[in-house]
Amino acid sequence: MILIEGLTKSFEPSRRQRHLALGDLSLSVGEGEFVSILGPSGCGKSTLLYVVGGFVPPSQGQVLVNGKVVTGPGPDRGPVFQEFALFPWKTVLGNVMYGLVEQGVAKPRAEQKARALIALVHLEGYEDFYPKQLSGGMKQRVAIARTLAYEPKILLMDEPFGALDAHTRTGLQRELLEIWERDRKTVLFVTHSVEEAVFLSDRVIVLTRSPGRLKASIAIDLPRPRRRAELLVDPRYQTLVVEIERLMDTQG
Amino acid sequence: MQAHASSPVGFAPLLACLGLLALWEAAARIVGISGLPPAYDALRELPLILSDAEALLNIAASLRRMLLGFVLALLFAIPAGLCMGRSARVAAFFNPLLMIIYPVPKAALMPIIMLWLGIGDASKTIVISLGVSLPVIYHSYQGARGVEEKLIWSAAAMGMQKSARLWRIVLPAALPQIFVGIRTGLVLALITMVTSEMIARQTGVGSILFNALDMAQYASVYAMIVIVGVLGFVLDLCIEMLRAKLVQWAEPAHEIAVGTS
């Protein structure tokens, strides 16, 4: 589980300026919980994810993951970025295997596992393709498989579907839910889409305009497994979306 | 790739060469001065030079210095450029230095280095190294600077140690850029090789060339220029083949782009 305590993060773009991205944010995320973070752009929601990932140090406060203070990146927290961040010199198979080999798994075993994950994200037949030869949706599937490969307990997803077209996006949301419903990892999911947040999450966190502080935490008690077609006509889903949209519209 | 050889594109470079030779031949006949011998006279010198043991030894000596200088430069310049690209402090320190040294013709440093190390191989190899280093440092630096932070984060999350990132993430990611520098470096190596041998005439392609010039053997001068040109072409082809093999992943996707999401 993730415990965020009094987290403040400021950047100094120049000596005279100081930009406060996150202001005294406290939050806890339970084991196996799928939590989305919403907020106006520039509210520091991605920064929050980077601090939990250990990629960026906090200015004040701390993040605890399973009782231990985060001091740097680690394989217990697997990131998935909007920019995919695949290793361009590696093939699909090479990318998915990378973390496993890095963790000391023997090559044949790593390859076997990577192939299974490539199948899980429906990319059989593309094992020997380079990232440059893939579409955006395929790249993100590879990135998800690559992160799932080393079995992080927590997934940190930074607007993972933000760069994709609407059709690809809903397809990947469904696939992500299917994968998640299987092993229920803890997920911290940053997005700017209210529908996406409500569709996927157990709980939606809304941050205030910069500096990002906790504005609201809304439980999404819609039944699982969720089907998009059913949810869209479900009045509870509609009410939640409208409620959160309204929250986002009010200033502060 | 094989398909291209039989296509009309395959003949274009050959045509260009023949055209240049024809132009040369015509110009020489029209101008009619001894400083511009006809292409045929110069080319006739080629088998004579290439069957002369001493000339071949000279060419070999040049190549040896050049390749040694080239490799030494890469061993130093690539890590230096990558470190600069990943550390703002290192870059701030070395950048002004580089900007001053880059435009200086490295052969101009030859007299000074000769004072220290004599007119032998060491001086020439060092001057060649210097010539190669700067474009390689510059492009490695640019390449390393352009590496997406999230690539490094992704590797870090997998447990990769900080010390390994430069070699295992930054180097491969910057490799396409580094090769741009290597290609420029090769041309500079060739230029510096010839000029260094012109200044310290002991052995080598440059010393043959300029000795022939002193003795007014103009056909030989032109023949040597052709040899240097061909050497450059072949070496560049080797680098290009290595590049194609190592950074094939960075080539534009072309027809291989695939359909659906």
Side-chain angles (χ1 to χ4, degrees):
Chain A
M1 85 165 241
I2 309 168
L3 209 60
I4 297 162
E5 294 177 339
L7 191 65
T8 300
K9 178 69 193 173
S10 58
F11 295 99
E12 287 170 34
S14 71
R15 220 163 271 179
R16 299 262 174 95
Q17 282 178 315
R18 202 157 145 269
H19 172 71
L20 197 60
L22 288 170
D24 194 22
L25 183 78
S26 295
L27 184 68
S28 84
V29 177
E31 182 108 38
E33 196 179 12
F34 196 127
V35 174
S36 284
I37 299 160
L38 276 170
S41 46
C43 73
K45 50 192 192 293
S46 289
T47 306
L48 170 63
L49 214 65
Y50 303 158
V51 175
V52 176
F55 308 122
V56 167
S59 301
Q60 271 166 49
Q62 59 181 10
V63 175
L64 291 120
V65 169
N66 292 326
K68 273 194 224 144
V69 178
V70 168
T71 53
D76 56 334
R77 285 149 291 143
V80 176
F81 299 108
Q82 184 178 2
E83 302 89 341
F84 320 126
L86 296 173
F87 303 130
W89 61 94
K90 290 276 176 195
T91 59
V92 168
L93 184 65
N95 265 285
V96 180
M97 277 174 69
Y98 207 99
L100 287 166
V101 175
E102 203 54 38
Q103 292 288 303
V105 177
K107 282 245 168 87
R109 174 84 193 93
E111 184 178 332
Q112 192 188 358
K113 196 169 172 194
R115 284 185 188 280
L117 279 159
I118 290 167
L120 180 74
V121 295
H122 308 295
L123 282 176
E124 300 107 317
Y126 291 104
E127 287 85 352
D128 298 327
F129 281 59
Y130 286 102
K132 202 156 189 178
Q133 298 168 292
L134 304 176
S135 69
M138 295 165 92
K139 281 182 196 162
Q140 198 54 291
R141 289 207 181 96
V142 178
I144 290 171
R146 180 180 71 171
T147 299
L148 290 175
Y150 54 90
E151 295 180 5
K153 290 195 186 70
I154 298 165
L155 282 181
L156 302 172
M157 309 189 86
D158 181 22
E159 299 196 39
F161 310 141
L164 308 176
D165 63 81
H167 177 73
T168 308
R169 191 178 179 132
T170 50
L172 274 172
Q173 286 168 356
R174 193 189 59 236
E175 283 179 38
L176 176 66
L177 264 196
E178 281 167 11
I179 292 169
W180 180 80
E181 275 160 2
R182 235 174 276 184
D183 57 4
R184 305 239 169 185
K185 286 182 188 302
T186 309
V187 180
L188 216 50
F189 189 102
V190 167
T191 176
H192 56 249
S193 158
V194 175
E195 287 94 340
E196 182 170 79
V198 174
F199 177 51
L200 296 173
S201 315
D202 295 320
R203 189 151 57 99
V204 172
I205 301 289
V206 181
L207 297 186
T208 60
R209 194 166 294 280
S210 153
R213 292 173 219 274
L214 193 68
K215 188 179 196 177
S217 167
I218 301 115
I220 310 294
D221 44 7
L222 297 167
R224 293 186 189 268
R226 294 178 188 167
R227 300 274 169 269
R228 190 178 149 79
E230 293 164 17
L231 273 191
L232 285 178
V233 293
D234 189 328
R236 287 173 299 176
Y237 169 83
Q238 293 159 352
T239 315
L240 280 164
V241 170
V242 172
E243 181 192 335
I244 294 168
E245 292 266 8
R246 248 189 224 130
L247 255 171
M248 304 260 301
D249 281 344
T250 54
Q251 286 295 318
Chain B
M1 284 293 124
Q2 292 300 323
H4 283 269
S6 59
S7 70
V9 179
F11 294 111
L14 204 66
L15 271 174
C17 286
L18 286 174
L20 186 70
L21 284 177
L23 209 67
W24 174 3
E25 185 75 29
R29 286 186 192 284
I30 293 163
V31 178
I33 54 167
S34 60
L36 183 58
Y40 179 71
D41 288 3
L43 294 183
R44 214 172 39 186
E45 289 288 314
L46 282 179
L48 294 177
I49 294 172
L50 294 177
S51 59
D52 177 33
E54 210 192 309
L56 286 179
L57 279 175
N58 274 298
I59 294 172
S62 285
L63 272 178
R64 198 191 59 231
R65 282 193 291 267
M66 193 197 115
L67 292 178
L68 187 64
F70 188 66
V71 169
L72 284 177
L74 296 191
L75 288 180
F76 158 77
I78 295 175
L82 294 181
C83 286
M84 278 176 65
R86 295 316 302 171
S87 157
R89 206 172 297 169
V90 176
F93 186 81
F94 285 109
N95 231 344
L97 226 60
L98 284 180
M99 288 303 115
I100 293 168
I101 303 173
Y102 203 168
V104 174
K106 301 314 162 288
L109 302 172
M110 189 66 190
I112 305 169
I113 296 173
M114 272 161 56
L115 283 179
W116 301 340
L117 298 170
I119 58 167
D121 278 10
S123 297
K124 290 169 191 156
T125 309
I126 285 179
V127 170
I128 292 168
S129 263
L130 263 174
V132 178
S133 290
L134 286 142
V136 177
I137 292 178
Y138 179 76
H139 285 278
S140 306
Y141 166 52
Q142 292 299 341
R145 238 166 44 135
V147 175
E148 214 184 317
E149 204 60 36
K150 281 161 193 170
L151 230 54
I152 293 166
W153 289 0
S154 297
M158 293 170 184
M160 188 184 286
Q161 293 303 305
K162 221 172 181 162
S163 52
R165 290 176 208 163
L166 196 67
W167 292 114
R168 300 199 34 217
I169 303 295
V170 179
L171 175 68
L175 209 53
Q177 267 282 336
I178 293 173
F179 263 100
V180 176
I182 291 179
R183 256 185 119 170
T184 315
L186 183 76
V187 174
L188 284 172
L190 213 64
I191 295 171
T192 321
M193 175 192 91
V194 174
T195 42
S196 72
E197 290 164 354
M198 176 183 91
I199 295 163
R201 274 191 228 173
Q202 213 181 15
T203 58
V205 174
S207 75
I208 301 183
L209 203 159
F210 287 97
N211 285 335
L213 189 68
D214 287 350
M215 292 185 283
Q217 294 167 343
Y218 297 120
S220 298
V221 171
Y222 281 85
M224 284 313 292
I225 293 174
V226 170
I227 289 175
V228 172
V230 170
L231 270 182
F233 178 77
V234 170
L235 289 170
D236 185 60
L237 205 67
C238 294
I239 296 282
E240 187 49 28
M241 276 159 63
L242 186 69
R243 191 193 68 83
K245 203 171 164 60
L246 289 180
V247 298
Q248 148 222 24
W249 52 266
E251 296 304 312
H254 285 316
E255 67 281 354
I256 12 184
V258 274
T260 63
S261 59

